[in-house]
């Protein structure tokens, strides 16, 4: 499967292929920053969706409508769905334009600079900043077939919706410089 460039009715990115409708031509094409040029390879970064949602060009996260707060932690079903967002300063979630709000008219907080790469250089690792300014101790990127959406949660079991863990905080670490040749422009998510 692949991340589809077509959002669900709530403006959230979904899974394409693997028995779902859509072809590889419907896959989301993204652009990652060139870590070798930024000088800060371990810092969370934004991912630009080159053919994603109109108006919100980043592959970010929107606090879930059922979440009781913007904090992700173990024992809580709080979550943030992966959707198109505007760019916001790195830090706790803030109100900003996003795919969910565009689709529903319901205002929600977002974070956009939430990604790092694991040491293997190909695994996306979610990083979420809670309201107190601290990085969430546990952040799991999950896909839920029940709602056909990707999300970040502090506790997949508490989140429910039969999620499949895609990546999580155990991959986190400071990343070395990737060298001058590492420029994954036009990568597929």
């Amino acid at each position: 499967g692949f991340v589809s460039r077509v959002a669900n009715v709530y403006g959230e990115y979904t899974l394409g292929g693997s028995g779902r409708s859509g072809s590889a031509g419907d896959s989301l094409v993204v652009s990652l920053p060139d870590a070798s040029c930024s000088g800060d390879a371990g810092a969370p970064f934004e991912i630009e969706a080159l053919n994603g949602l109109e108006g919100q060009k980043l592959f970010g996260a929107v606090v879930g409508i059922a979440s009781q707060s913007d904090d992700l932690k173990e024992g809580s079903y709080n979550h943030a769905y992966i959707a198109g967002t505007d760019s916001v300063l790195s830090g706790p979630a803030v109100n900003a334009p996003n795919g969910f709000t565009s689709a529903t008219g319901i205002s929600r907080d977002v974070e956009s600079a939430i990604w790092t790469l694991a040491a293997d250089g190909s695994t996306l690792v979610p990083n979420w900043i809670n309201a107190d300014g601290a990085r969430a101790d546990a952040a799991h990127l999950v896909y839920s077939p029940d709602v056909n959406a990707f999300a970040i949660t502090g506790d997949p079991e508490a989140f429910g919706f039969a999620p499949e863990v895609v990546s999580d905080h155990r991959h986190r670490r400071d990343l070395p410089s990737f060298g001058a040749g590492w420029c994954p422009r036009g990568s597929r998510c």
Side-chain angles (χ1 to χ4, degrees), residues 17-169:
S18 295
R20 298 266 179 203
S21 61
S23 65
D26 291 330
S27 62
L28 183 67
V29 178
V30 301
S31 178
L32 303 179
D34 182 353
S36 66
C37 299
S38 73
D40 198 3
F45 55 82
E46 294 177 331
I47 296 177
E48 182 182 4
L50 301 177
N51 64 341
L53 298 176
E54 188 74 29
Q56 289 88 36
K57 297 294 184 185
L58 297 177
F59 188 71
V62 179
V63 175
I65 191 68
S67 293
Q68 295 179 327
S69 75
D70 293 357
D71 292 340
L72 302 184
K73 58 187 174 184
E74 291 184 25
S76 169
Y77 62 83
N78 289 351
H79 57 281
Y81 284 111
I82 304 303
T85 69
D86 275 8
S87 181
V88 297
L89 294 175
S90 185
V94 296
N95 191 283
N98 63 80
F100 177 83
T101 299
S102 294
T104 66
I106 301 169
S107 182
R108 300 305 292 165
D109 290 346
V110 307
E111 290 187 24
S112 60
I114 58 172
W115 306 106
T116 58
L117 287 173
D120 66 10
S122 64
T123 302
L124 278 179
V125 180
N127 292 269
W128 184 262
I129 305 299
N130 284 331
D132 64 0
R135 185 168 63 177
D137 289 333
H140 306 269
L141 176 62
V142 299
Y143 169 72
S144 175
D146 288 358
V147 295
N148 191 22
F150 291 92
I152 300 172
T153 181
D155 189 330
E157 189 172 314
F159 170 63
F161 298 112
E164 300 168 14
V165 175
V166 176
S167 177
D168 63 31
H169 62 281

